[in-house]
Amino acid sequence: MTRRALWTLPPLLLVAGFFVYPLTLTALQSGGAWTRVATSPEFGRTVLRTLEIAVCATIGCLLLGTFFALVLTYAPFPGARAVARLIDTVLAFPSYLIALAFTVLYGSAGVVDGLGIATLDFIYTPAGLVFAEITFYTPFVMRPLLAAFGQVPPAQLEVAASLGARPWRVVRQVLLPEALPALAAGGGLTLLLTLNEFGLVLFIGAKDVTTLPMLVYTKGLVTFDQAGAAVAAVAQVALSLTVYSLYRRVAR
Amino acid sequence: MLIWTRRGRAALRTAFAALFALVILAPLAVVVLAAFARSWNGVLPGAYTTGHLRESLTDDRLAALLVSLQTALAAGLLAVLVGTWGALAVASAPRLLARVADTLLHLPIAVSSVVVGLSMLVAFNKPPLLLGGTRWIVIAAHTVLVTAFAYSTVSAALKRLDPAYAQVAGSLGAAPPRVLFRIVLPLLMPAMSAAAALSIALSLGEVGATIMVYPPDWRTLPVGVFTLTDRGRVFPAAALTLTLLATALVTLTGLGRLGRRPGAR
Amino acid sequence: MTSTLTPVPATAVEAPAIGWDGVSVRYGDAHALRDLTLDVARGETVALLGPSGSGKSTALKAVAGFVRPTSGRVLLGGRDVTGEPPHRRGVGVVVQSYALFPHMKVEDNVAFGLRARRLPRAEVAARVTEMLAMVGMTAHRGKLPRELSGGQQQRIAIARALAIRPPVLLLDEPLSALDARLRQDMLDELRRLRGELPDTAIVYVTHDQTEALVLADRIAIMRDARLVDVGPADELYHRPPSAFTAEFLGGANLIPAEAVAGGARVGDRTVPAAHSAVASGPALLCVRPHALTVEVPGPDGLPGRVTAVQWRGSGYRLEVALDCGATVSADLPALTGVPAAGEPAAVRVGAACVVAREEP
């Protein structure tokens, strides 16, 4: 019993030494700066903006991902499997890929501008960031949903139809309720990842759109205010852990 | 079985094609096209060049690629080792300890990479462990970030593994180490190679923690891409990203060959 | 068909409740159903009986609208519904797995079809109560499907299908997920229900001949995606038109024989038969296991040797290798003296009939 328990020690020590210990030091370092940073209007705005972008992006991903997964499962076409495999691949891509594409397309010297279509610097607005995050994170919702739809017995949909339910009613009353755990898990993960998203925000480099991870970066590296960065980091971790604990609860 | 009419299915497929092309495919295609673009003022690039790609294999950019590759392989290897060890240990640990350990090992998934970077900076620029300014702080940060994913992958596979295999092996007289090395680990091989692939892919693309901690002599490729993008040189940045994706593809394909075992699912 | 007849008043000739008109279903190169033509009248119960892969489920799904025929027409009450989606057909369906909606309470499952039809709330409630009473599940209306036993789930699936008062009820292997004892109870239950639905046409898909014999007015035997024989249950049983039907319905022994007037010749013996589908030439003598008796060798009966004896509680099953080359099974009551395996014996044939040999 105790010998078995000892086997967990090496990995736990590594996590403690390289993850928990640094985070603890960071939290301690934030101590003196809380009143200064946390009461500034900039900080409040940033927290709200972070939440706003993450929530909007997650809702977008859920809508789009559900639609995509529905079509792939119930109106499959030649090549649907290749699409599903592409989805799996995209999951491992770095998010800044999307930022790069958006810069090429909609950037201040981008392709769409060059075509004479005014983009009004769309990607440098919160909405632009939301759009970029939807593009990147939709596959994260699709994957659990595809698995969940695959497990709903076809007979249930058939019987529902035979009872007189049109497709839309079957989706709302049979399919989505049964896929609810997958929907919650996918949505929870996406909310967590969009809250934590940094690469996309950094690469787009919108001056007026600051999120908490971006604040950690600017305070820590650009203005060398490590205590201030630590405050932002602690706030970020608190936000992430709240969402994460909810996610763990719905995902099992 | 849900959409009964051909017209309904056709309409849905059309909507899917349009949305999917716009949202998922277009950005990927744009990056590929941009990597080869000399100029781009119309719908498609005006003139093409392989110059950006060739440039991305010279001097400091090639060095960045090698740095990224070494970091990813080191972090990936450590992640699979620690992750597999953790999964096996948690599976046989007493209940309460198992729950705590499971939570702790998963936890880095929940934390933003940039926060992990900052905390590394805070903790390892002073004794007892001085890593700041060396390549080790980059590798440590990457390892922390990807180990959670490796652990998650392997422990999920271990939970699905029928305990009867190990029990039967034990009943045939195999001692625990023999059961571990001859039965359990070979059966976990597909999951371990999947974990390695995921870890390496994530590490190759990692930018949040890296940008906080990297020393001048250990610049990873994504940092290089950021520098280029920041200066508005998006075509070379796209070419460099394409090199990164190609490297990832080649590495993972090679790894996939290694990880495949006859009889493994 | 270019029929120019004046329409017949509906009261004079009633259109069949269900009609398959040359229905074929193909998936790529695989034929799931070939050219099925069959009618089911109002109030009639027809069993589609056949082994797995015989096309019986596909035939049912074509009526429900779950599969689209590659060719042919499906008619409901004379109306061509071939291209219509299931939700416009108004057909009640009960499937093998029941397919109860797992997240809905029993009463919501039963109410599903009524709500899809946007019936007034009070009417939905009244109809749900009525249906639950009909299947004896009133006490369970607030439960979730997973809290019910297999037999209870079965009742709810039936109540849900009947709630929409369908003119046509399709049952796809409804008892095959139940254990043997429960199956017998549910069979009685289904017989009772059928009595309460005098106007409903029922199609009952099964691979179990007992279920078909107990429930059906007519049985349609299917094999390899084709309809083999169709007819009233007792007629098919007592006078099988084909060897396949004889074997599948009642597990008849088929002994190669020569058809002669009033019976068949097996080796040098002539066996009388009550019914003959072939007048002369090569044929099969078909005898059910319980119509055989096994005796000590003598001048009567077909000579052979016992190869195996199985005790089955209610009696014995003997395998006898006949001298003519065929092997037959015989069921003997428990109290009779039974020869041991290896002993020579004579098989005496009771009720028998003659059918044509199958083309190879």
Side-chain angles (χ1 to χ4, degrees):
Chain A
M1 189 79 171
T2 43
R3 279 237 333 255
R4 280 183 162 187
L6 282 179
W7 284 100
T8 55
L9 262 184
L12 283 186
L13 281 178
L14 284 172
V15 172
F18 285 92
F19 179 69
V20 179
Y21 163 71
L23 278 183
T24 314
L25 280 193
T26 309
L28 289 177
Q29 200 177 46
S30 72
W34 270 96
T35 40
R36 173 171 61 83
V37 178
T39 53
S40 73
E42 178 207 14
F43 184 76
R45 259 205 319 272
T46 306
V47 172
L48 280 183
R49 173 91 341 133
T50 311
L51 280 169
E52 177 192 46
I53 289 175
V55 169
C56 290
T58 303
I59 292 172
C61 290
L62 283 173
L63 292 176
L64 200 60
T66 305
F67 174 71
F68 283 169
L70 275 175
V71 177
L72 280 179
T73 314
Y74 296 111
F77 44 88
R81 286 183 147 213
V83 169
R85 215 167 311 135
L86 178 73
I87 293 296
D88 275 355
T89 315
V90 171
L91 289 177
F93 282 1
S95 58
Y96 66 75
L97 195 79
I98 303 301
L100 207 58
F102 272 51
T103 310
V104 174
L105 279 175
Y106 312 109
S108 38
V111 173
V112 177
D113 252 7
L115 291 174
I117 303 164
T119 54
L120 307 168
D121 287 342
F122 166 70
I123 61 160
Y124 304 115
T125 65
L129 192 56
V130 167
F131 187 34
E133 291 194 358
I134 290 174
T135 295
F136 185 70
Y137 285 107
T138 292
F140 286 76
V141 174
M142 288 175 70
R143 202 155 66 156
L145 267 186
L146 283 172
F149 287 162
Q151 297 204 325
V152 174
Q156 288 193 2
L157 311 180
E158 291 175 350
V159 168
S162 79
L163 291 167
R166 288 157 189 284
W168 177 232
R169 180 181 280 266
V170 179
V171 169
R172 268 183 311 140
Q173 298 200 335
V174 180
L175 209 48
L176 288 186
E178 289 190 41
L180 199 61
L183 217 54
L189 183 65
T190 305
L191 185 62
L192 180 70
L193 294 175
T194 48
L195 273 180
N196 290 344
E197 181 53 47
F198 172 67
L200 258 174
V201 194
L202 176 76
F203 272 66
I204 288 181
K207 292 202 174 47
D208 304 328
V209 186
T210 310
T211 62
L212 265 178
M214 201 58 197
L215 193 65
V216 174
Y217 167 73
T218 44
K219 284 215 181 295
L221 275 199
V222 182
T223 60
F224 295 106
D225 172 12
Q226 224 179 47
V231 172
V234 170
Q236 170 71 43
V237 169
L239 217 55
S240 305
L241 289 187
T242 311
V243 173
Y244 181 65
S245 60
L246 288 177
Y247 164 70
R248 288 268 283 191
R249 207 162 295 164
V250 296
R252 63 183 45 170
Chain B
M1 63 199 96
L2 177 64
I3 316 298
W4 302 100
T5 59
R6 288 204 187 115
R7 255 179 55 197
R9 278 197 294 268
L12 277 179
R13 283 176 194 146
T14 312
F16 178 91
L19 271 173
F20 195 78
L22 178 76
V23 176
I24 310 279
L25 291 182
L28 300 178
V30 162
V31 171
V32 176
L33 283 178
F36 292 99
R38 188 196 298 277
S39 64
W40 194 341
N41 295 313
V43 177
L44 288 173
Y48 294 94
T49 174
T50 53
H52 305 311
L53 267 186
R54 269 186 279 122
E55 235 177 275
S56 66
L57 290 173
T58 54
D59 305 337
D60 56 330
R61 292 189 200 165
L62 183 65
L65 180 63
L66 291 178
V67 163
S68 268
L69 210 50
Q70 291 172 61
T71 309
L73 288 175
L77 189 69
L78 284 168
V80 172
L81 192 70
V82 177
T84 306
W85 185 311
L88 290 167
V90 165
S92 61
R95 248 184 102 113
L96 188 67
L97 177 66
R99 277 190 64 170
V100 174
D102 183 65
T103 306
L104 268 177
L105 285 164
H106 268 123
L107 209 54
I109 291 181
V111 176
S112 180
S113 58
V114 70
V115 172
V116 169
L118 178 77
S119 69
M120 290 269 168
L121 216 52
V122 169
F124 300 123
N125 269 327
K126 59 181 170 213
L129 196 54
L130 256 171
L131 298 176
T134 72
R135 65 188 64 173
W136 305 113
I137 195 166
V138 178
I139 294 173
H142 280 222
T143 307
V144 164
L145 285 170
V146 299
T147 297
F149 287 95
Y151 168 75
S152 176
T153 306
V154 178
S155 74
L158 191 61
K159 271 187 201 122
R160 283 195 304 267
L161 196 67
D162 191 342
Y165 291 121
Q167 288 162 357
V168 167
S171 77
L172 292 169
R178 193 179 182 80
V179 174
L180 178 65
F181 285 103
R182 300 302 296 271
I183 306 295
V184 176
L185 284 181
L187 286 172
L188 284 181
M189 204 59 198
M192 286 163 69
S193 95
L198 182 63
S199 302
I200 289 171
L202 290 176
S203 169
L204 281 175
E206 212 294 318
V207 71
T210 319
I211 211 153
M212 298 296 286
V213 299
Y214 78 94
D217 64 342
W218 202 256
R219 278 161 49 106
T220 63
L221 194 137
V223 173
V225 177
F226 172 61
T227 320
L228 286 171
T229 315
D230 206 33
R231 285 195 228 125
R233 305 190 53 207
V234 285
F235 298 155
L240 204 54
T241 306
L242 205 59
T243 326
L244 182 82
L245 292 184
T247 309
L249 196 69
V250 170
T251 315
L252 299 188
T253 312
L255 205 77
R257 291 259 165 77
L258 274 180
R260 214 171 297 142
R261 283 278 183 286
R265 276 181 299 163
Chain C
M1 268 201 278
T2 49
S3 154
T4 49
L5 296 172
T6 41
V8 190
T11 43
V13 181
E14 196 178 12
I18 307 168
W20 288 270
D21 180 13
V23 175
S24 295
V25 177
R26 222 174 47 203
Y27 301 106
D29 286 340
H31 290 265
L33 187 63
R34 290 175 199 252
D35 195 24
L36 174 66
T37 299
L38 181 67
D39 286 344
V40 180
R42 191 164 72 103
E44 187 188 26
T45 300
V46 170
L48 299 182
L49 178 66
S52 60
S54 59
K56 55 193 193 305
S57 272
T58 307
L60 178 137
K61 286 181 171 178
V63 175
F66 303 157
V67 300
R68 187 186 283 259
T70 323
S71 60
R73 296 187 309 156
V74 174
L75 303 147
L76 287 175
R79 187 167 62 100
D80 184 348
V81 296
T82 315
E84 293 216 344
H87 57 84
R88 288 209 208 103
R89 296 195 184 196
V91 164
V93 183
V94 176
V95 297
Q96 186 178 355
S97 62
Y98 318 135
L100 296 180
F101 307 127
H103 57 287
M104 290 184 198
K105 287 184 204 158
V106 162
E107 53 188 352
D108 294 323
N109 263 285
V110 177
F112 185 88
L114 305 171
R115 292 191 180 132
R117 284 169 170 65
R118 301 184 189 285
L119 290 190
R121 196 178 286 243
E123 197 177 339
V124 171
R127 198 94 71 91
V128 168
T129 305
E130 178 197 339
M131 284 301 139
L132 288 175
M134 184 174 181
V135 295
M137 290 290 291
T138 308
H140 303 279
R141 64 183 300 158
K143 288 188 182 168
L144 285 170
R146 63 166 175 273
E147 297 170 306
L148 302 179
S149 70
Q152 291 171 329
Q153 292 187 24
Q154 169 71 271
R155 287 159 201 260
I156 299 306
I158 292 170
R160 180 177 64 179
L162 290 177
I164 61 173
R165 298 202 175 137
V168 164
L169 179 64
L170 308 175
L171 301 156
D172 190 359
E173 305 254 5
L175 304 185
S176 60
L178 301 176
D179 61 50
R181 255 191 74 179
L182 209 51
R183 201 176 307 165
Q184 189 53 53
D185 291 350
M186 279 311 294
L187 202 52
D188 297 342
E189 183 84 18
L190 284 175
R191 253 193 90 84
R192 180 184 66 76
L193 268 176
R194 203 193 65 165
E196 290 183 30
L197 304 165
D199 289 335
T200 310
I202 300 179
V203 176
Y204 189 98
V205 164
T206 181
H207 62 266
D208 183 305
Q209 44 144 333
T210 314
E211 291 172 22
L213 289 169
V214 168
L215 287 173
D217 300 315
R218 282 193 301 153
I219 296 179
I221 307 267
M222 300 202 58
R223 177 197 195 182
D224 294 337
R226 282 183 205 281
L227 178 65
V228 180
D229 290 315
V230 59
D234 56 343
E235 190 173 324
L236 278 192
Y237 188 86
H238 293 300
R239 289 195 288 273
S242 70
F244 182 77
T245 297
E247 200 171 13
F248 201 77
L249 199 64
N253 294 297
L254 297 172
I255 306 166
E258 197 78 21
V260 293
R265 275 192 79 75
V266 180
D268 55 357
R269 319 256 157 128
T270 301
V271 181
H275 167 78
S276 195
V278 195
S280 65
L284 292 167
L285 181 69
C286 74
V287 201
R288 298 216 153 66
H290 59 78
L292 291 173
T293 47
V294 181
E295 303 169 338
V296 287
D300 289 340
L302 305 170
R305 188 174 290 275
V306 178
T307 54
V309 179
Q310 256 180 32
W311 185 59
R312 296 188 160 187
S314 58
Y316 292 92
R317 150 108 3 152
L318 270 63
E319 303 289 332
V320 183
L322 298 179
D323 289 353
C324 67
T327 300
V328 295
S329 303
D331 285 343
L332 304 181
L335 294 174
T336 46
V338 171
E343 285 178 16
V347 173
R348 191 197 277 268
V349 177
C353 58
V354 178
V355 296
R357 288 195 191 179
E358 304 242 315
E359 318 89 272

